Structure formats: structure tokens, C-alpha cells
Amino acid sequence: MKYNKLEYNSALFLSSISLFLGIGISKIINSIGSDSWISIILGTFIGLFINYIFTKLPEKENKIFIYTYSTILLTLNLLLITKLISSIYLNRTPDIIVVIPLIILIYYISNKGINTILKTSLIIAFIYILIYLIPFTALAPKINIDEFKPLLTSNIYDIIKCSLTYAFISTTPFILFPKFKENYNYKSYLLSSLLVLIIFIITIGNLGPSLAKLYRYPEYMVFKEISLLGFIENIQNILSYLWLFCSFILSSIATYNIKRVSNKKILIITLLLITFILNNVLKNYIYIEYITKYYGIILFSTLILFLISKIFSKNK
């Protein structure tokens, strides 16, 4: 099956951002503060190298491995979406009430096929970039350069560690995309990295590293300061909705992959199992802290699983 490259790379652009939701940005800021921008730049180069490795891997696939890492990423992504919605919008609502509509929605979208998902990605990507110009233009003049001084206040080890974390967060979603070698354009990854870099700079430049570390969603808090023309407010809600759309795209592709390598019955069982895990196991705060602490390692392990699947398929 051939894909429209613009639509395909629009989905890559959105997916590359999705796993930062709720954990990625706050984790990096909490680790190295004002030096976060350095790790983003270094991480982008590492990410480009990882993507280059992806393009050199064989196209053959192993269904068991595809099912496994698709399920892992789907569970992780749905966890991020659920916690964002529960924390910001429905903080008194049980998680199960949030999870069930999400599961039904991604199941419906995945049944429409990957071409529908890619076409939707193109529209969302265009709106995403267009609307994000609003906070950039509104908050850029308020950036305090002194918040980034002095440089290199963190040790080199932590900066490199955060660079690797950024690279893993931004590239792991790409393992879900079929025919990556034929359709990948590095410009989509650079664009997503540029957007994330700007978000970090605006967040730290406006809140400062000390205040930004206090928030679970510092990017959301800084966007609350936006007021256009004196009466247009709550821009942060529109921006968070767009971030959720990114996660929906990634979740839909993961769900599509599960269905592609199995069948509808197994897909439904998998979604029910994920619902149970999100509502019972991962509801425990201890597990949330564990995932947050080892987020980069979890994603790195998923990448290793993907590489093993390719090697196994090639030898087979």
C-alpha cells in the first residue's frame, strides 16, 4: 500500500510530540532546568541518527513483536491522555469514565484504516502549527533571558541523559509506522523538534526553572498567561486539545497495528485488558511515579524490542 508522503509525515510530526504529554517536558525541566534547551538540540541530533537507523532496517515484520510494542505504546499513551484530562478538566471524575470513551473513539478511528488516520493528521498538523503561532507571538516578548543564565548549571551527565530521553520520547512513536523507510522525511522530525524547543524556551523564559518545576504541566500553566486583544482568554485549553489530538493519532495507529497483525476479537480483548490496567493497576500513585522515573528507560526498552523484531524477521 502506498501512502501520501505529506499525510504520512504529518502523522510523524504529530506522533513525535505526543509522548511528551504530562511527563516528557516536566521530567526534563525537573532534571536540568534552564539547560533544557541544550538537551533538546543534542537530543534532536541523536533522534535523527536513530531515524536513520530505522531507514536501514528490513521492511519485514514479526506479528508478535508488532502486537507487543504497539500494546505497550497504546497503554502508555492512553495513560498520559487519561491523566491530563483527569488532572485539568475532570479531576473529580473516576478514570474509568474518561478511559471508556477514549477506547471507543480510537477503536472507531482505527477501523477507518490508516489512510483515514493519515488524512486526518494532515488537517490537524496544519491547525496545530497555525494555532501554536498565537502563544509564540504572545509570549515571546515576555521571555526573560536571565532565566537561562548562567549556562551549563547542570552537570554534563544529566544533560546527556536528558538528551537521550528526548531522543527516545520523540522517535519511539515512529516504530508504529509501516513503510517508514519509503515515506520518512527528516524535515517532519526537525519541525516537531523545533516546536518542542520553542515550548521549552517559552515555558522556562516566562515561568523560570524554579517555578516550572513545581507544575506537572508547566507548558499548560504558562499558556494561561495569554490574553489576546484583552478579551480572548483560555487559549491554553485550545492548545491542550490539540496536544490530545496528537495523542489520538498515535493511539489510533497503535490500535490499527494491533488489528492489522491479529483480528477484531483479539483487538477488543486487548482494549478491555488495557482499560482494566488503566483503571486498576496504573491508578496507583506508586506506579505513576515509577513510570515517570523510568520513562526514558521504558521507551528505550521498547526501541530495543523493535530492533530485535527486525533482526529476528530478517534472520527468519
Side-chain angles (χ1 to χ4, degrees), residues 82 85-86 90 92-102 275 279:
T82 303
I85 295 176
S86 298
L90 302 172
R92 295 184 179 181
T93 304
D95 286 350
I96 188 66
I97 303 300
V98 178
V99 173
I100 291 178
L102 293 176
T275 303
N279 188 57

Side-chain angles (χ1 to χ4, degrees), residues 153-194:
T153 54
S154 306
N155 62 62
I156 299 298
Y157 171 78
D158 287 336
I159 292 176
I160 293 176
K161 182 179 176 181
C162 286
S163 299
L164 291 170
T165 298
Y166 173 82
F168 298 150
I169 293 174
S170 59
T171 60
T172 303
F174 294 170
I175 68 179
L176 297 175
F177 286 78
K179 299 187 182 300
F180 182 82
K181 181 178 181 179
E182 298 176 13
N183 297 282
Y184 166 70
N185 188 323
Y186 71 93
K187 294 178 183 178
S188 62
Y189 181 73
L190 287 178
L191 182 60
S192 66
S193 293
L194 176 61

Side-chain angles (χ1 to χ4, degrees), residues 27 165 168-169 291-301:
K27 181 176 178 62
T165 298
F168 298 150
I169 293 174
I291 292 174
T292 302
K293 183 177 181 180
Y294 298 104
Y295 195 51
I297 296 176
I298 293 171
L299 295 178
F300 175 70
S301 301

Side-chain angles (χ1 to χ4, degrees), residues 266-282:
I266 293 178
L267 172 60
I268 293 174
I269 293 173
T270 303
L271 293 177
L272 290 175
L273 179 61
I274 291 174
T275 303
F276 174 81
I277 292 173
L278 291 176
N279 188 57
N280 294 277
V281 181
L282 296 182

Side-chain angles (χ1 to χ4, degrees), residues 43-253:
T44 299
F45 285 105
I46 298 173
L48 286 171
F49 178 71
I50 293 174
N51 293 338
Y52 174 77
I53 293 176
F54 288 169
T55 62
K56 299 301 179 182
L57 295 174
E59 292 288 347
K60 292 183 178 180
E61 299 176 322
N62 182 285
K63 292 184 178 182
I64 296 176
F65 282 103
I66 292 175
Y67 174 86
T68 303
Y69 59 68
S70 295
T71 303
I72 292 172
L73 290 182
L74 177 58
T75 305
L76 188 59
N77 204 41
L78 286 175
L79 173 65
L80 298 180
I81 297 174
T82 303
K83 292 306 175 185
L84 173 67
I85 295 176
S86 298
S87 299
I88 296 179
Y89 302 109
L90 302 172
N91 55 353
R92 295 184 179 181
T93 304
D95 286 350
I96 188 66
I97 303 300
V98 178
V99 173
I100 291 178
L102 293 176
I103 293 291
I104 294 174
L105 180 60
I106 62 171
Y107 177 77
Y108 173 79
I109 295 174
S110 64
N111 279 333
K112 294 297 182 180
I114 192 168
N115 281 323
T116 300
I117 298 173
L118 298 182
K119 290 180 186 296
T120 306
S121 299
L122 178 59
I123 299 172
I124 295 176
F126 177 77
I127 297 174
Y128 194 98
I129 295 172
L130 186 63
I131 293 184
Y132 255 91
L133 291 176
I134 296 174
F136 295 161
T137 54
L139 294 175
K142 299 181 181 180
I143 292 176
N144 184 0
I145 301 299
D146 292 335
E147 300 291 356
F148 298 93
K149 298 178 182 178
L151 296 175
L152 298 175
T153 54
S154 306
N155 62 62
I156 299 298
Y157 171 78
D158 287 336
I159 292 176
I160 293 176
K161 182 179 176 181
C162 286
S163 299
L164 291 170
T165 298
Y166 173 82
F168 298 150
I169 293 174
S170 59
T171 60
T172 303
F174 294 170
I175 68 179
L176 297 175
F177 286 78
K179 299 187 182 300
F180 182 82
K181 181 178 181 179
E182 298 176 13
N183 297 282
Y184 166 70
N185 188 323
Y186 71 93
K187 294 178 183 178
S188 62
Y189 181 73
L190 287 178
L191 182 60
S192 66
S193 293
L194 176 61
L195 183 64
V196 173
L197 175 62
I198 293 174
I199 292 173
F200 269 90
I201 291 175
I202 287 179
T203 301
I204 295 174
N206 282 269
L207 294 179
S210 298
L211 184 57
K213 290 179 181 180
L214 298 178
Y215 297 117
R216 177 67 181 273
Y217 302 97
E219 67 280 16
Y220 179 86
M221 301 307 298
V222 74
F223 289 152
K224 292 182 69 174
E225 299 181 14
I226 301 173
S227 178
L228 299 178
L229 305 176
F231 63 89
I232 302 177
E233 299 181 345
N234 295 322
I235 299 295
Q236 76 279 2
N237 289 327
I238 299 175
L239 297 173
S240 62
Y241 296 154
L242 290 174
W243 209 306
L244 288 173
F245 283 136
C246 293
S247 297
F248 279 131
I249 293 298
L250 181 60
S251 296
S252 298
I253 293 176

Side-chain angles (χ1 to χ4, degrees), residues 252-315:
S252 298
I253 293 176
T255 307
Y256 167 80
N257 273 344
I258 295 172
K259 180 183 176 183
R260 179 170 64 90
V261 299
S262 59
N263 54 57
K264 187 174 291 187
K265 182 178 180 180
I266 293 178
L267 172 60
I268 293 174
I269 293 173
T270 303
L271 293 177
L272 290 175
L273 179 61
I274 291 174
T275 303
F276 174 81
I277 292 173
L278 291 176
N279 188 57
N280 294 277
V281 181
L282 296 182
K283 187 177 181 179
N284 192 312
Y285 183 76
I286 296 176
Y287 292 110
I288 300 298
E289 285 297 306
Y290 180 86
I291 292 174
T292 302
K293 183 177 181 180
Y294 298 104
Y295 195 51
I297 296 176
I298 293 171
L299 295 178
F300 175 70
S301 301
T302 308
L303 284 175
I304 294 299
L305 183 65
F306 169 73
L307 293 175
I308 292 174
S309 72
K310 290 294 183 180
I311 295 173
F312 181 81
S313 298
K314 183 177 180 181
N315 292 336

